Amino acid sequence: MSLRAANDEGARRLPDPQACQRAAEQMLGYALKAGAEGAEVLVRDGAELEVRLRLGEPELIKEAGSRALGLRVLKDGRPAVTYTSDFSDAGLERLARETVELAALAEPDVFAALPAPELMARQVPDLALWDDEVPRLTVEDAIAWTTRGEAAARAFDPRITNSDGASLSRVVGATAFASSAGFSGGYRGSYVSLVVQPIADDEGGKKRNGSWWTGGRFVASLESPESVGETAARRTLAQLGAQKVATCQVPVIFPPEAGRSLLGKLAGVTSGGAVWRRSSYLADREGTEVASSLVNIADDPLIPGAPGSRPFDGEGLASRVNVLVDGGILRTFLCDTYAARKLNRVSTGSAGRGVGGGPHVSTSNLIMRPGGTPRETIERVPEGFYVTHLMGFGFSGVTGDFSQGASGFWVKNGERTMPVSEVTISANFDDLWKNVDAVADDLDTRSSTQVPTFRVSHMTVAGR
């Protein structure tokens, strides 16, 4: 295996948002010249490094760069979407002509028009999304970090007998967007993460694996590899001796690792796309109680340095904070322009898009606001279940029915008394959120979906 020294800054091409913006504007001109009545151009340029190591030996070293341009045109109310990696003048001009011709074959869609010009962003705020240190991480650095993380986990306790490995991922990229509705802008961002996954042997030949990870836009914000490895080992060992419990109804506690997926599901049913398709149980619930008064949820793309921050959305609209749930009351649905028109309202600036597709509703930094309960006291229940992992996909956005496999710890008199596995937790999602009776103050900001620990007063835990 040959290891390429990736820290050759003289040879490495860093993503350049200004160059991406020039390409987007150039393509926009070609599309309008080819006869499009409206056009949007997205350009992304980036590079990624992934190193995966197991038992001290590298299993995967992948470093790749990509640059692509996505074009969406409208002609006589008919949309067409194409993309290319050919940035030559001739290639861009040809794609513009072909995309306009392609639009003639599509069905007219009055909802697919571009956003109104007065809604477009007027500036691109600097949200501190870039760290010069991230692209300087070399392959050798990544191998060293993963080695240190895995070694710390294996040395933590002799009961750690194996490893699912450790991996480091670094991503840097630039994004530019130009629209004939009246916007052109670009920005760049970075992100790096490290995960360690040790394995321990349990009774009956069962394997217990746990993990821990650190991540962020800035290298300086990361935990040390040793800290990540030791935490991963501690979480793995805590699962030894896990068993089922008898079926019952008890308080259920969701730390950030488990609660994050619940918040993501709730975001799915507050999407304007799900609402106009009538595939959300919240479709007619705007302005009504959908959660406990302790629950406050917002989508905030303007937090400096946060993983999901963006200075404009996927249609060039200015980013803004949207409050979804305020004191348990559903305040709004997240909408891109298409969903907003379907629902006879205005976009919330919540469009995302990939290079090869059109706009769709997306979240940025989706945050359940921390509460006033100290983290240390939220487990003070006579009996309950502390969830560390959720498995499966048992959720219907149409009915709100929720049922997922889970593992974690049994809590008795405020103490975790034994690990639990192979159980199922279930509730109607509406009841789950309405029965939140405590929200802790320990918001986890590592990812773009951020939650604190919270407790649901009662749920069904199905075991033996």
Side-chain angles (χ1 to χ4, degrees):
M1 178 182 305
S2 100
L3 304 181
R4 182 163 65 85
N7 198 25
D8 184 358
E9 290 188 59
R12 176 178 297 158
R13 179 181 57 82
L14 294 175
D16 181 352
Q18 283 73 41
C20 292
Q21 187 174 346
R22 287 193 295 272
E25 292 172 353
Q26 182 184 8
M27 175 54 106
L28 189 62
Y30 285 145
L32 297 177
K33 182 181 176 183
E37 62 193 24
E40 297 172 324
V41 184
L42 174 67
V43 177
R44 287 208 168 122
D45 183 10
E48 62 177 314
L49 167 67
E50 181 182 0
V51 170
R52 191 165 64 232
L53 170 145
R54 181 175 175 273
L55 299 176
E57 296 294 332
E59 285 192 335
L60 171 71
I61 298 176
K62 180 176 73 175
E63 187 166 26
S66 63
R67 188 169 64 142
L69 178 151
L71 172 64
R72 176 174 177 257
V73 304
L74 290 158
K75 174 72 173 174
D76 300 327
R78 303 167 191 267
V81 175
T82 56
Y83 67 96
T84 184
S85 58
D86 179 0
F87 279 68
S88 68
D89 291 347
L92 294 179
E93 194 165 15
R94 182 172 59 252
L95 182 70
R97 288 197 309 270
E98 293 174 350
T99 308
V100 172
E101 292 170 3
L102 186 65
L105 304 177
E107 290 295 320
D109 187 345
V110 296
F111 299 104
L114 300 187
E118 62 269 23
L119 298 178
M120 305 306 288
R122 301 300 174 207
Q123 58 183 350
V124 180
D126 181 2
L127 297 176
L129 307 180
W130 177 263
D131 179 12
D132 286 335
E133 297 302 314
V134 174
R136 290 176 181 152
L137 286 173
T138 66
V139 173
E140 288 81 358
D141 291 333
I143 291 175
W145 283 37
T146 50
T147 300
R148 288 165 56 192
E150 187 189 52
R154 297 179 67 193
F156 185 77
D157 190 290
R159 291 173 293 174
I160 298 294
T161 55
N162 205 338
S163 172
D164 254 351
S167 61
L168 184 142
S169 172
R170 105 162 125 64
V171 180
V172 295
T175 298
F177 184 76
S179 168
S180 62
F183 174 78
S184 178
Y187 62 98
R188 64 180 180 173
S190 59
Y191 192 83
V192 59
S193 64
L194 170 69
V195 59
V196 179
Q197 305 176 82
I199 296 174
D201 290 319
D202 205 348
E203 294 179 0
K206 292 182 179 178
K207 305 292 183 185
R208 303 292 183 189
N209 60 341
S211 65
W212 190 245
W213 65 280
T214 183
R217 291 188 178 273
F218 294 84
V219 173
S221 70
L222 303 186
E223 295 179 42
S224 72
E226 288 78 11
S227 174
V228 175
E230 291 173 2
T231 302
R234 198 175 294 114
R235 289 166 60 87
T236 300
L237 295 172
Q239 298 178 53
L240 293 177
Q243 53 190 283
K244 291 184 180 181
V245 294
T247 298
C248 58
Q249 279 212 337
V250 291
V252 176
I253 301 152
F254 294 95
E257 288 293 305
R260 188 178 294 124
S261 72
L262 299 185
L263 184 58
K265 290 178 174 61
L266 188 63
V269 291
T270 59
S271 161
V275 173
W276 74 257
R277 292 184 179 91
R278 309 299 294 180
S279 59
S280 167
Y281 76 92
L282 296 178
D284 299 314
R285 301 279 297 280
E286 198 172 32
T288 70
E289 180 187 3
V290 299
S292 155
S293 61
L294 299 174
V295 176
N296 297 283
I297 300 170
D299 188 61
D300 187 349
L302 297 172
I303 303 172
S309 295
R310 59 192 183 199
F312 51 84
D313 82 344
E315 296 179 302
L317 274 64
S319 290
R320 71 184 211 191
V321 180
N322 289 299
V323 175
L324 277 72
V325 177
D326 180 18
I329 305 299
L330 177 61
R331 294 301 183 191
T332 192
F333 299 117
L334 295 180
C335 289
D336 61 359
T337 298
Y338 192 90
R341 287 183 176 136
K342 283 282 190 179
L343 298 172
N344 194 28
R345 59 180 68 192
V346 177
S347 170
T348 56
S350 303
R353 71 195 306 160
V355 167
H360 58 270
V361 180
S362 75
T363 58
S364 56
N365 297 301
L366 180 68
I367 302 168
M368 179 176 173
R369 301 294 188 194
T373 303
R375 168 70 187 79
E376 310 79 54
T377 65
I378 204 165
E379 295 179 48
R380 289 181 182 171
V381 292
E383 199 163 26
F385 182 36
Y386 182 96
V387 180
T388 56
H389 296 89
L390 288 171
M391 293 149 276
F393 304 95
F395 174 65
S396 167
V398 178
T399 64
D401 291 336
F402 169 79
S403 177
Q404 278 194 276
S407 60
F409 300 95
W410 202 250
V411 176
K412 199 160 187 175
N413 297 324
E415 299 289 336
R416 298 181 205 177
T417 56
M418 68 174 185
V420 173
S421 65
E422 300 180 48
V423 299
T424 300
I425 59 173
S426 60
N428 183 274
F429 221 48
D430 203 39
D431 294 334
L432 186 157
W433 286 104
K434 285 180 177 175
N435 289 331
V436 171
D437 67 354
V439 180
D441 54 4
D442 59 343
L443 185 69
D444 183 349
T445 61
R446 289 175 296 168
S447 78
S448 59
T449 301
Q450 304 177 3
V451 297
T453 299
F454 61 94
R455 185 178 67 207
V456 179
S457 63
H458 59 279
M459 292 181 69
T460 298
V461 179
R464 60 176 188 269

